[in-house]
Amino acid sequence: MRSGLRLRNQKDFAAGVIYIVAGAAFALGALNYRIGEASRMGPGWFPFAIGILLTLVGFATLYNGLRKSAAVERIKRPHPSTIAWVLGAVVLFGLLLQPMGMVLSLLVLVLVSSRASHEFTWTGALLNAIALTVFSMLVFIWGIDLQIPLWPAFMQ
């Protein structure tokens, strides 16, 4: 009788590893800034806390892929076209942000990257773009007051 953990869900295991690596990188990177304390938080406090939380989520996800009751799932080989759609969307967003503004750039980002999914629908992509744009405006424009143009210069 063998005991111990066996890899049953490759997707959860791989996602857990990615979360752990990203979370640890954020937490370690945050140590280059003053952390402060809870009553007087420094610039490193938030990225350090997010890094720790992401690492903890990673360990939970990784463990979920090892449980006996986990669904057996294998990682499929990614299609080059899927990678190209997603990377192309990110590059387009970066190129369009200043001249076209955040609203139109996010619309392009979501619509182009959505083409990578075999479950793509125009309705779903547009609803996702609207939700992401509203959220981004709330957080980045009105929340932390980033100086990003919302619209192209000719529309302001």
Side-chain angles (χ1 to χ4, degrees):
M1 182 168 126
R2 261 174 75 182
S3 66
L5 300 174
R6 287 190 43 184
L7 180 57
R8 293 186 48 84
N9 190 319
Q10 290 179 349
K11 290 181 180 181
D12 281 351
F13 186 84
V17 170
I18 291 169
Y19 293 157
I20 291 167
V21 169
F26 269 92
L28 291 172
L31 295 176
N32 292 321
Y33 301 98
R34 188 176 55 80
I35 301 292
E37 52 195 50
S39 62
R40 293 185 57 98
M41 296 177 195
W45 180 272
F46 185 73
F48 182 77
I50 293 298
I52 295 299
L53 289 173
L54 188 58
T55 302
L56 292 174
V57 167
F59 278 113
T61 306
L62 184 139
Y63 176 74
N64 193 45
L66 297 172
R67 290 180 316 139
K68 288 181 181 180
S69 61
V72 177
E73 287 190 69
R74 303 280 178 239
I75 296 176
K76 295 176 186 169
R77 182 171 301 203
H79 297 286
S81 64
T82 301
I83 296 170
W85 280 114
V86 173
L87 291 178
V90 172
V91 169
L92 275 173
F93 175 78
L95 293 172
L96 294 175
L97 184 58
Q98 284 302 317
M100 297 303 288
M102 186 175 75
V103 173
L104 296 177
S105 298
L106 283 173
L107 179 67
V108 169
L109 171 75
V110 173
L111 291 177
V112 172
S113 63
S114 294
R115 299 289 296 152
S117 172
H118 62 279
E119 299 170 6
F120 172 80
T121 64
W122 285 105
T123 306
L126 285 172
L127 290 174
N128 192 10
I130 292 167
L132 180 63
T133 302
V134 169
F135 176 78
S136 296
M137 288 169 56
L138 289 171
V139 171
F140 298 114
I141 304 299
W142 295 303
I144 61 174
D145 200 29
L146 281 181
Q147 299 301 308
I148 300 172
L150 282 178
W151 299 101
F154 65 86
M155 290 179 69
Q156 293 181 8

